Amino acid sequence: MEFTHIAAQHGQWIATASQRAQPATVAAQVPAGYERYVRILHPALDEEGRSHRWAEVARATGETLHATSLFEDVARLDERGLPLDENSWVDSDLPGEELPTDQWQALTDHLIAATAQQRLILGLWAGFAFIEGGERIDIESAAESEADTEAHAAALAEARRPGFSDEVLRAPRLELPGGYRNYLLFDADHEFLAAPQWATTAAGAQKQHPSIVFPTDHSWLLSTEPYDDSTIVGGSAALIDALCEDNRLETLEVGELTRIGHSA
């Protein structure tokens, strides 16, 4: 498993394509020109850790699941995530911002199979607190003495150390239209994609999934917007067929001009 920071210019083709695309369409997230596109829906988890697919939620609420659906609409929730009426889904939290580990493994199995021996380029969202450390990170303290206070200060300083080197932190990021879509890019092997671990900090191993992934020939692209409820993949018909036919994943096929909203 290995990964190496690379210049943002390796992803500039995505920024250029996004700028040309109609806002809020699939092509504004995954560039136009691929044979097929698919949304992979992130499941909702209840308080016992059980996974609930969107189709299950739609059956319970009587809503219709379609290519442009947001989870809040399917679950009949308002913009604050509160139920609209007695038919609303209240048996789980909102979907996670990334796929569960087993579904990520299923997805990456297909992506790797479609990639041969090429290296991969991974985009890590620059908004994760561990990257720069600093005052966004805090730890609890039950200090009762001066020694406890000093120990807490030392632990806090350690927790606030940046997860990456100064060279990486100073490097330009890939900036995509939308204001908060900024990414650090890394060259990585297939094993790293399947089980990413960016750093080990005082908070533990940082295993966030990359938000952008593509092989060096750009033959497919994966994109998960920050705070979103689904992942989009554009690629060959064979790849999209494989994803849609894998019952480990919940998928909705979309087109490059499909207009999709994004969960807050």
Side-chain angles (χ1 to χ4, degrees), residues 129 132-138 156 159-162:
E132 296 187 356
E135 295 183 356
R136 291 175 59 193
I137 296 175
D138 202 357
L156 182 59
R160 288 179 169 174
R161 289 177 56 190

Side-chain angles (χ1 to χ4, degrees), residues 78-203:
D78 66 17
E79 65 277 2
R80 297 169 296 170
L82 299 176
L84 290 172
D85 53 40
E86 67 275 7
N87 293 324
S88 297
W89 175 266
V90 294
D91 293 337
S92 71
D93 291 329
L94 296 176
E97 296 166 11
E98 60 180 35
L99 288 166
T101 300
D102 59 337
Q103 293 190 25
W104 177 256
Q105 184 66 65
L107 171 56
T108 58
D109 284 348
H110 291 292
L111 297 178
I112 291 169
T115 308
Q117 300 303 311
Q118 294 179 70
R119 298 285 293 185
L120 301 171
I121 296 177
L122 280 52
L124 177 67
W125 182 51
F128 289 120
F130 86 89
I131 293 175
E132 296 187 356
E135 295 183 356
R136 291 175 59 193
I137 296 175
D138 202 357
I139 59 176
E140 294 184 1
S141 173
E144 296 180 357
S145 67
E146 183 175 344
D148 290 339
T149 300
E150 291 177 354
H152 176 261
L156 182 59
E158 176 64 21
R160 288 179 169 174
R161 289 177 56 190
F164 291 135
S165 68
D166 287 343
E167 180 182 3
V168 173
L169 297 179
R170 290 195 302 266
R173 282 91 188 274
L174 172 64
E175 301 281 351
L176 302 183
Y180 60 91
R181 302 168 70 200
N182 53 340
Y183 306 90
L184 293 165
L185 296 189
F186 298 86
D187 172 281
D189 59 17
H190 295 181
E191 290 75 17
F192 186 85
L193 174 64
Q197 180 172 325
W198 305 98
T200 300
T201 70

Side-chain angles (χ1 to χ4, degrees), residues 39-113:
R39 284 179 73 193
I40 302 169
L41 307 179
H42 301 176
L45 299 177
D46 64 24
E47 60 185 13
E48 296 182 2
R50 291 175 301 203
S51 177
H52 298 274
R53 295 194 171 206
W54 293 32
E56 173 190 354
V57 176
R59 287 193 296 270
T61 61
E63 295 291 331
T64 300
L65 185 59
H66 51 78
T68 62
S69 293
L70 293 178
F71 183 83
E72 290 93 325
D73 299 332
V74 175
R76 297 188 57 76
L77 305 175
D78 66 17
E79 65 277 2
R80 297 169 296 170
L82 299 176
L84 290 172
D85 53 40
E86 67 275 7
N87 293 324
S88 297
W89 175 266
V90 294
D91 293 337
S92 71
D93 291 329
L94 296 176
E97 296 166 11
E98 60 180 35
L99 288 166
T101 300
D102 59 337
Q103 293 190 25
W104 177 256
Q105 184 66 65
L107 171 56
T108 58
D109 284 348
H110 291 292
L111 297 178
I112 291 169

Side-chain angles (χ1 to χ4, degrees), residues 13-24:
W13 66 281
I14 305 171
T16 300
S18 296
Q19 290 165 354
R20 296 171 178 166
Q22 296 182 31

